Amino acid sequence: MLRRKKSSSPEHKRDPAAHGGALSMSQNNTRSFFNFSQLVLSAGHLRSPPVLKHSKITYFEVEILDVQSKKQICIVDKVPPSSTLLDVKHKFHKACPQWYPSRVGLQLERNGPYLKDSVNIQSLAVSSIITLYFTDLGQQVGWTTFFLTEYTGPLLIYLLFYIRLSTIYDQVESTKNFRHPVVHLACFCHCLHYIRHLLETLFVHKFSGGHTPLKNMIKGCAFYWGFTSWIAYYINHPRYTPPSFGHRQVSLAALAFLMCEAGNHFINVALAHQNHSGSKACFPSPTYNPFTWLFLLVSCPNYTYEVGSWISFTVMTQTLPVGIFAFLMVIQMSLWAQKKHKLYLKKFYPEVRRKAAMIPIIF
């Protein structure tokens, strides 16, 4: 019989070693992965590097046409979306130096309103090309210059008549006649009125840098200067006669005049500070100052006090030119008050809806 030899298979001998080596390798891999995980957790979250976003800025082209002929004047190109209409006017001025920004009027439509300088150009855009119509507004002056010129003239003109220049009145007659005290009082009240206007123009009123045509200033100066000459001539004339009811009429009218002047000043101060009382703009409300209580009845009490001043001045001097001037002022102030009252209704409807414009019930 053949003996079966026990052959030692090398494969069976290598199996435990191979199995043990595989286990050790898997353990090493697990330990390495664990150490790497701990390292990642201790280092925090991995952040991807920021991706740079390239923003595309869209520029506009503004085509400016003549409002009459519809011919193209120029094209203002590369206008950023954040630009205002004033920026467009400055670039238009560089292309056409004969038209500086304050005399340039731009419209979206030929018969439309003039656009404000603060309008953002992006709000007008329908496409990348914006068409605007140009109108030459003529020679312009600033509002401060406008009011200073308009109010300085009456102040100086009245003083020229008050000193009774020999070129205006007869020198012999003016030295003989005695001046009634109301003449001196009228000069004081008239000068006080226009000095108040000048000081408020410089220190109270806030103008947004706007302009007005020069022809408007000429019209205003002609109106105020002309009426001042007519009024001053009669009041300071050597043959001027005092009011019919004498001292009582003059005193009561002068007191009313001073009260209206004070009320006008306090109302203008309140209007100048109406947007600084809080984060939201609101209509001025009456304060402890009794002169501001008129806000409870009317929306434009500054015009009410202005009219009251001239009516009081008419009663105090009792002259026809002052009466005509006061009548015209009532008409003009009522028109301005109605226009401003409509703007107040749009902006401050709950506060203004039950108020009159200038005079309760009447206006």
Side-chain angles (χ1 to χ4, degrees), residues 316-357:
M316 181 179 63
T317 58
Q318 196 174 315
T319 53
L320 180 62
V322 182
I324 295 175
F325 181 75
F327 176 74
L328 295 177
M329 290 296 289
V330 170
I331 297 176
Q332 182 63 72
M333 294 294 169
S334 64
L335 295 176
W336 288 344
Q338 288 288 344
K339 183 178 180 179
K340 187 172 288 187
H341 184 70
K342 292 180 180 178
L343 296 177
Y344 284 156
L345 285 175
K346 295 179 181 179
K347 193 174 182 181
F348 312 110
Y349 176 74
E351 297 93 340
V352 185
R353 63 188 180 93
R354 294 185 179 181
K355 302 179 188 296

Side-chain angles (χ1 to χ4, degrees), residues 57-68:
I57 300 177
T58 303
Y59 291 97
F60 295 101
E61 289 186 356
V62 180
E63 181 187 23
I64 299 179
L65 308 179
D66 184 76
V67 71
Q68 299 294 336

Side-chain angles (χ1 to χ4, degrees), residues 280-298:
K280 184 179 179 180
C282 58
F283 189 75
S285 57
T287 62
Y288 62 89
N289 189 341
F291 291 103
T292 62
W293 294 351
L294 201 56
F295 274 122
L296 296 172
L297 301 176
V298 296

Side-chain angles (χ1 to χ4, degrees), residues 123-279:
S123 63
L124 306 175
V126 179
S127 63
S128 60
I129 300 178
I130 304 172
T131 302
L132 298 177
Y133 293 95
F134 161 75
T135 301
D136 184 10
L137 300 178
Q139 188 75 19
Q140 302 287 302
V141 293
W143 283 110
T144 303
T145 305
F146 176 88
F147 288 116
L148 290 178
T149 306
E150 192 176 67
Y151 296 143
T152 303
L155 179 64
L156 299 178
I157 290 173
Y158 196 96
L159 291 175
L160 291 177
F161 283 89
Y162 176 73
I163 61 178
R164 291 184 177 177
L165 295 176
S166 58
T167 55
I168 301 176
Y169 302 110
D170 182 71
Q171 186 67 24
V172 177
E173 190 177 20
S174 61
T175 54
K176 288 182 179 180
N177 291 339
F178 171 76
R179 291 197 189 190
H180 194 274
V182 70
V183 175
H184 304 290
L185 183 60
C187 180
F188 170 78
C189 292
H190 191 275
C191 293
L192 177 66
H193 177 79
Y194 284 102
I195 289 174
R196 179 185 62 80
H197 274 302
L198 291 172
L199 293 178
E200 288 177 352
T201 300
L202 294 174
F203 303 108
V204 177
H205 297 300
K206 297 176 182 179
F207 305 105
S208 57
H211 297 79
T212 185
L214 179 63
K215 60 181 181 181
N216 290 347
M217 188 180 75
I218 295 175
K219 291 179 182 178
C221 290
F223 177 77
Y224 281 99
W225 294 16
F227 263 102
T228 300
S229 302
W230 192 24
I231 291 169
Y233 176 81
Y234 276 89
I235 296 177
N236 296 286
H237 199 279
R239 297 182 182 179
Y240 169 76
T241 55
S244 303
F245 297 95
H247 178 72
R248 180 176 297 180
Q249 178 180 344
V250 173
S251 301
L252 293 177
L255 181 62
F257 178 88
L258 295 176
M259 291 180 64
C260 289
E261 287 295 304
N264 203 339
H265 171 71
F266 289 119
I267 293 297
N268 287 332
V269 172
L271 291 173
H273 295 84
Q274 65 174 332
N275 293 330
H276 301 278
S277 57
S279 57

